[in-house]
Each structure stands twice: as structure tokens, then as C-alpha cells.
Amino acid sequence: MEEEAKGAEPEAAAPVPAAEDGVKVVVQGLTVAVEEIAAISEFRNAYKKQFCNLSRRIKLLAPMLEDLKESKVPIPEKAVETLAPLKEALDSAKELLRLGSEGSKFFLVLERDSIMKRFQQVTSQLEQALAGISLEDLDISDEVREQVELVHSQFKRAKERVDTSDTELFDDLLTVYSSNNDANLDPALLRRLAEKLQLITISDLKQESLSLHEMAVNSGGDPGKIIERMSMLLKKIKDFMQTQDLEMGSPTNPKAPPPIGKSRSPVIPDDFRCPISLELMKDPVIVATGQTYERVCIEKWLEAGHDTCPKTQQRLSSTSLTPNFVLRSLIAQWCEENGVEPPKRPVNPNKTPSPCSASEHAKIIELLQKLLSQNLEDQRSAAGELRLLAKRNAENRACIAEAGAIPLLVSLLSTLDVRTQEHAVTALLNLSIYEENKGRIIISGAVPGIVQVLKRGSMEARENAAATLFSLSVVDANKVTIGGSGAIPPLVSLLHNGSQRGKKDAATALFNLCIFQGNKGKAVRAGAIPILMELLSQPEEGMVDEALAILAILSSHPEGKAAIGAATAIPVLVEVIRSGSPRNKENAAAVLVHLCNGEHQHQHLAEAQEQGVISLLQELAQSGTDRGKRKAIQLLERMNRFLEQQKQAQADAHAHGHVQGQAQAQAQSQANIEQ
């Protein structure tokens, strides 16, 4: 195609169709944005009026876009330029409306000032965008023009008017939150909150819990504090609902008061509740950070594309789940003691997601046909839509894979179009979250293509290629495949010169891959150790946790230990044990354990002693993590043996010197006698 374009000078009119295509893309983008906004419904009570008004006004713009799509008259370039700000304004409105539909009810109330400010910003943005459109240059009917002018005037009035939120609801929430004694809370206040926020049934409460966790990840500030604050509020309301013995979830009477004289249900201990659903756990499992969750809830969290611990917001080094048998036994014992029926574990916790509907399946098939098209725009848009669909839920991931999308997406990894490549690799990342798809992606031969993207793609593509390799490497057999595909050197390169997110993705992938012994030497030979040491010396980069975790793994390999020793790491590691976080102290001690064993152990022990490590290890042995305590005790034992050997060597040297001195004195005395 490029050669034809270069040689086709007589056809000077070629740019015109391209310009017309550009106009179609702009109009189509606006149409899709309005359709997506129209599909958002079920807004939260706190701002229902404002959300509904915003949505209704935007939907009134649809006839204008329909007229433009059907028009045979070319739109002037100047008029097209005036439409561009409208797309940005619609995207901002869509984001706000999704927050109003899917966001946490608590968040929407407690963050009322920022929410109202966003309403003002979006309203102003839409008003300015509509004011800038040259309606007289557009081929639309008079009725449609008048309707658009009406919408513009409505936004203009709304921009000048400041709406107020429900002050009573806000004050009630703050009262409950600030109360230190739940027993003194007014039941009428709690009931009013539950009814206003529509948190009556178990389903309502569970949805709110999931929403606030999702909000915490996507919001600014400290996500951990947000989760803690919201969860505390939700727990108080749920405890009230349970102690009042309401018929939660009853479709006939969800607000029925408790029968007179009926005993209250026992309050579930916090440790027995899932931090996500706040319900008594049936099948508690432990994640990589040590936190425990209900299996079904944490699996949904992971399938939604998250790679962090919901409670601590730490990055999960692995998505494996370990059954918490001890807690399960304690829950069963508590149930027996309190006359509560023990929760029954699901028969098949890894059930297959329900199949998608016929319309959804048809939509996916249509997108796959576009992937097969020779039209680059079709490929790009289809890959982008599949990327978004695969991000939403497990059902979509299963349907997309079963429809045969994976090989088609893999074939697009080699495209020269940057955006299409980004969409393709990110779609594979989202599909890989569903466990069965990991094998499908490997079998399709995707790994070499992903590695090429990791080497030569845009920064976004490289980030998501690294994240995809991490997701696939959760399966142990895949660690071997990925390590043998040449993935480790470009991961090390991304760790060195990538964006902040790129470095994080590269680090998690390297950590997982290097659990397999055969990949450790490859990482060392790719130059990982100097880069990790550099990250340790740059705490402002925010990579200390990851760097230490990888060093702890690589130090167990002979080449890794030698490279770390050659990098003069002892002072840095001792400083981490002195002032690092508990997890970092643990990993620094683990690295020292490996360094202080074998050929150069005396050299490293002596250097560590000079840096003042002994008192730090004694403190770590008392107050560190369980693993940190074990490592500290091991090091102290080696240090004590080393000091004893030094003392013995000094004593032997002293004794040897004393004997030599006596022998010399006797020899001198004998010489004097002979004289």
C-alpha cells in the first residue's frame, strides 16, 4: 500500500476520502459516547436528580448525531474542529455518570464537595463545547438545531446554579463514623441511614462492599485509609441490621421489624468476616500478603483485573490462594458455641462462569470478523472493544476465548500500528486473568509475540506485555516456557528504563519467573543485580520493596550471590534492616543469610559487624515478622560462631606469640651463659 501511494502522484484527490473518513470517525466517536451514556442507569440516591438530569440532557444530542451520520453534505473542516471538544466533554460526563451508577454510596456522600465540584466542571465543559459548535455549518434539521440550542441553554443555566446535597444524610454518616461506642448509637439514625442509602438487604450490603473496594483502587489519596473508613461505616450498619434481626433479602418484606421477644442474633467476630463482603466466611483462603478472604469474593476481585490485596493495597506477588484451615475450624467452633448453623462450603468454588447471552455472543463474533478485516481502523477499534469487554468480567473472558479471539489477537502483536498493538496485548492480559485462558494463550504461541512487544513496543504496550507474562507465569509450567523464550532480558531492561508502572510490572514478572531456579541465572546474566541495587539506593523511585524481594530470590543462586557480593551490598542491606519496613527487613536479612554462607562468608560477616548489624539483628529476632525472626536468628548464630572463631584465632595467635617470646628469651639467656 505504501509503494502504491508513493508512485501515485497523478491522484492528487486522495486526501479527500481520508478527510471524509476522519469526519466519520469523529461523528461515530460522539455517537458511541452518547450511546454508552444512555446505557448507564440506576443512579445512587444521594445525587439521583443531578445524575438523571445530566444523562437526560446528553441523550437529547443523539438526533443531531443521527442527522450528521445520514447527511450527504460534506461537513466543513472548521465545523469538524468545533465538534472535538464535545467528545472530551462527553468522556468526562461518562466517567462521572459511571461513578454515580457503580460507585460506593458512602464515597458519594462523604466526598460530597469533590462530587459537586465535578458536576460543575462537567456541566461547564459541556456548555462550552456546545457553545463552540457551528450549528449553521452542519446539515441538520431545524427541529434538531432548536433541540441542541435548548440543551445548550439548559447546561448554561445549570452551570450558573449550585445544587446542594443531602446535608442530613452527610451529618448522619459522620455521626456514625465518629462514634466510639456503637451501643450509644440511635437506632432511628441507623435505620434512616440504611433506608436512605438503600442498604437493606444482604445483596445491597455486599454490592456496596465491592463498590467501595473498587473505588479505593481508582481514587486518589491513600486507598488503605479509604477502605478502612468505608468498611467501618458499612460494618456498623450491617451489625445494626443483623442485631435488629431484619429479614434481610426477603423479597416480600425487606424492612419487617423483629418479632417481640425474639432473641438477637450473635454479632460475628471481625476476624471471621470477609473484609470484602463483611459476611461470615465459608471457605477462607490466604493471599500472598497474608490476609484472609472468602474464596469467592477474592476470586471475583482478581478476575476483575486487580493485582493488589484489597485490605492492604500491597501488590500481590502471586495470585495463588491457600486454604486457611485453622480459621475455618475456629469459625465452625464459634458457630457451634453460639447456636449458629456452620456455613457450608461451595461444592465447586472454581465453577465455570455462566455463558454470555446470544446478543453478547453475536457482538463478539462481529468484533472477530473486524479483526480479520484488512481495514486497519476496523482492526484497531475491534481490538479496543475486546480489550474493554475482557476487562469487565469472567463471563466475557470465557466467551471471547471460546469464540476464537486469542489466535487473532496474537496475530496482531506484530502489527506496525502502535495503538492496535497496545489493544491486542492488553486484551490478552485481560483474558489471561481467567484461569482456563492461560493455557489457551500459551498454546496459541503468544509468548514470542508478547516478548517482541516487550522489546520494541510503546511504553504502554511494554507495560502490559510484562503484566501479561506475570499473569501467565502464575502457572508453574509457564515459568519454564516464558524463561526459555528470551523474556527475561527485556524485562530487566524495562525494570531499568521503564515508566514507574513499567518498572512495577517488570519487577512482579521477574519475581514470579525467578521462583523457577532455571530462570535465576538468566536474570543475573541479564544484568538484574546492578539495577536492583540502584533501585535500593533510590527510595524516591518507590521500588525498594520489589527490588529486595527479587534480590532475596536471586541470592539463593550461586551467580546471584556472587553478583550481589561484588556489588558492595552489605552497607545497603544493613541500612534496610535498621530503618526499613518489616517486610523489607525480612528480605534484607534473607539476602544476608545467603551472602554469609560459603566461600566469602567471613569477609561478609566482618563487614556486616563493622556496620553495626548485631544489635539490629537482635531487635529483629524479637520484633520482626516470623520469617524475619528466623533469618535474624540464623545470622546471629553465624555471627556468634564467627566472633568465637576470631576470638579463638586471636587467643591462639597470642599464645603462639607468647611461646615464641619465651623461646627467644631462653635462647638469649643461653647465649649469655655461653659467653
Side-chain angles (χ1 to χ4, degrees):
M1 292 293 293
E2 289 180 1
E3 291 179 3
E4 289 177 11
K6 287 179 182 176
E9 291 185 11
E11 299 189 25
V16 176
E20 290 177 0
D21 287 344
V23 172
K24 289 179 181 177
V25 169
V26 171
V27 174
Q28 180 62 26
L30 291 170
T31 303
V32 169
V34 171
E35 287 174 351
E36 289 177 346
I37 287 171
I40 302 172
S41 58
E42 298 294 326
F43 297 112
R44 307 305 196 193
N45 273 5
Y47 306 94
K48 191 164 187 177
K49 177 184 174 183
Q50 291 94 328
F51 283 124
C52 288
N53 285 339
L54 178 59
S55 176
R56 175 180 53 78
R57 289 165 185 157
I58 290 173
K59 284 187 278 189
L60 290 173
L61 299 175
M64 176 184 73
L65 300 174
E66 286 299 319
D67 275 10
L68 292 177
K69 284 172 67 176
E70 296 173 1
S71 172
K72 304 297 183 184
V73 179
I75 302 176
E77 185 177 345
K78 179 184 175 183
V80 174
E81 290 175 359
T82 66
L83 291 173
L86 180 58
K87 177 63 167 63
E88 295 179 11
L90 289 174
D91 287 341
S92 298
K94 180 169 61 177
E95 186 178 342
L96 178 59
L97 289 167
R98 277 188 177 152
L99 175 64
S101 176
E102 303 168 4
S104 161
K105 297 175 181 179
F106 288 157
F107 183 93
L108 289 170
V109 174
L110 292 173
E111 299 295 321
R112 63 176 184 177
D113 292 339
S114 64
I115 298 297
M116 296 310 298
K117 184 178 179 181
R118 285 185 66 178
F119 266 115
Q120 283 295 308
Q121 290 172 340
V122 167
T123 300
S124 177
Q125 196 176 359
L126 284 163
E127 188 276 326
Q128 291 174 15
L130 290 171
I133 295 176
S134 305
L135 293 176
E136 63 278 4
D137 294 331
L138 301 179
D139 182 29
I140 55 178
S141 66
D142 292 340
E143 293 83 358
V144 169
R145 182 178 289 105
E146 290 174 2
Q147 184 165 305
V148 174
E149 289 171 346
L150 174 63
V151 172
H152 175 229
S153 64
Q154 289 177 348
F155 277 121
K156 192 172 183 179
R157 286 196 299 272
K159 186 176 75 169
E160 296 165 355
R161 183 180 64 249
V162 179
D163 290 330
T164 57
S165 58
D166 190 332
T167 304
E168 183 186 48
L169 180 58
F170 178 78
D171 291 341
D172 284 350
L173 265 183
L174 282 185
T175 300
V176 175
Y177 172 68
S178 59
S179 174
N180 294 321
N181 188 349
D182 293 359
N184 293 334
L185 286 172
D186 182 3
L189 183 150
L190 290 169
R191 186 181 295 280
R192 185 165 66 242
L193 271 180
E195 291 177 354
K196 273 196 172 187
L197 292 171
Q198 293 183 332
L199 294 174
I200 304 297
T201 68
I202 287 178
S203 176
D204 294 336
L205 292 162
K206 184 184 290 188
Q207 182 57 48
E208 171 63 11
S209 182
L210 292 171
S211 294
L212 70 88
H213 278 78
E214 183 77 23
M215 292 280 296
V217 173
N218 295 326
S219 67
D222 182 346
K225 289 181 180 178
I226 293 173
I227 288 180
E228 184 179 356
R229 186 183 185 192
M230 306 289 182
S231 295
M232 189 179 300
L233 288 170
L234 189 58
K235 177 181 177 298
K236 287 179 179 179
I237 290 180
K238 182 165 186 177
D239 283 348
F240 167 75
M241 302 297 282
Q242 286 185 326
T243 54
Q244 292 297 298
D245 203 21
L246 298 180
E247 293 180 33
M248 300 175 71
S250 168
T252 55
N253 189 12
K255 303 176 188 176
I260 297 174
K262 186 169 181 178
S263 61
R264 294 186 171 189
S265 303
V267 177
I268 302 170
D270 289 347
D271 290 342
F272 295 172
R273 297 176 186 266
C274 171
I276 297 176
S277 69
L278 300 181
E279 295 179 1
L280 183 65
M281 285 187 273
K282 303 174 183 177
D283 188 10
V285 292
I286 305 169
V287 298
T289 58
Q291 300 294 328
T292 297
Y293 299 93
E294 173 61 43
R295 181 187 290 275
V296 172
C297 295
I298 192 62
E299 283 180 342
K300 285 182 179 178
W301 173 262
L302 295 172
E303 287 172 0
H306 304 297
D307 59 359
T308 55
C309 172
K311 190 171 183 180
T312 67
Q313 291 305 303
Q314 288 178 282
R315 192 75 170 266
L316 293 172
S317 59
S318 166
T319 55
S320 60
L321 305 175
T322 306
N324 193 333
F325 296 110
V326 175
L327 184 60
R328 191 187 302 164
S329 298
L330 291 173
I331 291 173
Q333 182 180 345
W334 177 85
C335 289
E336 185 177 347
E337 291 172 353
N338 289 274
V340 176
E341 184 179 354
K344 295 178 181 178
R345 291 181 62 204
V347 177
N348 182 12
N350 295 314
K351 64 180 181 179
T352 303
S354 56
C356 52
S357 65
S359 61
E360 290 170 331
H361 182 71
K363 172 68 173 174
I364 291 169
I365 295 300
E366 180 185 342
L367 292 174
L368 298 194
Q369 289 172 343
K370 284 187 176 182
L371 288 184
L372 290 166
S373 166
Q374 298 302 310
N375 183 294
L376 182 59
E377 184 61 39
D378 283 350
Q379 289 180 339
R380 186 187 303 126
S381 64
E385 286 191 61
L386 286 170
R387 167 184 180 172
L388 294 175
L389 284 172
K391 184 179 180 181
R392 284 181 191 162
N393 53 53
E395 288 78 9
N396 283 354
R397 295 180 196 116
C399 288
I400 291 169
E402 287 166 5
I406 289 174
L408 301 180
L409 290 168
V410 170
S411 69
L412 291 179
L413 294 175
S414 58
T415 181
L416 298 178
D417 184 72
V418 174
R419 198 64 184 144
T420 303
Q421 187 182 71
E422 289 171 353
H423 287 328
V425 75
T426 310
L428 288 171
L429 166 61
N430 294 336
L431 289 171
S432 72
I433 297 167
Y434 180 49
E435 200 65 27
E436 289 186 18
N437 287 345
K438 296 185 195 297
R440 290 169 171 159
I441 293 171
I442 292 291
I443 291 171
S444 72
V447 173
I450 295 170
V451 172
Q452 286 305 308
V453 174
L454 185 61
K455 289 178 179 177
R456 301 187 177 89
S458 67
M459 185 51 68
E460 180 184 333
R462 292 173 69 197
E463 291 168 358
N464 290 334
T468 306
L469 293 177
F470 163 71
S471 177
L472 295 174
S473 68
V474 169
V475 179
D476 287 339
N478 294 347
K479 293 179 174 66
V480 182
T481 304
I482 296 168
S485 69
I488 289 177
L491 283 171
V492 171
S493 175
L494 184 61
L495 181 67
H496 185 226
N497 56 31
S499 63
Q500 180 67 15
R501 184 187 155 197
K503 290 179 178 180
K504 294 275 186 184
D505 288 327
T508 51
L510 283 169
F511 177 88
N512 228 31
L513 289 169
C514 289
I515 292 172
F516 173 59
Q517 185 73 7
N519 287 335
K520 294 177 183 178
K522 293 174 182 174
V524 175
R525 290 189 289 275
I529 300 300
I531 295 168
L532 293 169
M533 293 304 303
E534 183 181 344
L535 291 173
L536 275 187
S537 65
Q538 299 173 341
E540 68 277 3
E541 289 287 324
M543 292 293 295
V544 173
D545 296 1
E546 291 84 354
L548 275 168
I550 299 171
L551 282 171
I553 285 185
L554 296 182
S555 64
S556 65
H557 190 276
E559 292 181 53
K561 184 167 74 171
I564 295 170
T568 59
I570 300 293
V572 179
L573 295 171
V574 173
E575 182 56 36
V576 172
I577 296 176
R578 177 179 288 110
S579 58
S581 67
R583 182 68 66 186
N584 288 344
K585 289 181 180 182
E586 168 192 313
N587 281 324
V591 177
L592 276 179
V593 166
H594 289 296
L595 290 181
C596 298
N597 182 36
E599 187 179 353
H600 300 290
Q601 62 174 304
H602 288 174
Q603 172 191 336
H604 295 317
L605 285 166
E607 188 178 358
Q609 183 198 6
E610 289 172 7
Q611 296 291 327
V613 78
I614 294 178
S615 61
L616 301 176
L617 291 175
Q618 289 170 340
E619 182 181 344
L620 184 61
Q622 292 294 322
S623 59
T625 64
D626 289 342
R627 179 169 172 253
K629 289 177 181 178
R630 292 197 303 271
K631 299 300 179 184
I633 291 169
Q634 282 180 270
L635 281 168
L636 285 170
E637 289 173 350
R638 290 180 190 173
M639 187 65 75
N640 289 334
R641 285 198 301 270
F642 169 65
L643 294 175
E644 287 173 7
Q645 289 170 0
Q646 274 194 324
K647 194 180 295 183
Q648 185 61 47
Q650 289 172 355
D652 291 346
H654 180 72
H656 181 66
H658 181 67
V659 170
Q660 277 190 327
Q662 283 184 329
Q664 288 175 354
Q666 287 177 352
Q668 185 64 41
S669 177
Q670 184 66 34
N672 291 338
I673 292 172
E674 290 176 356
Q675 289 178 359

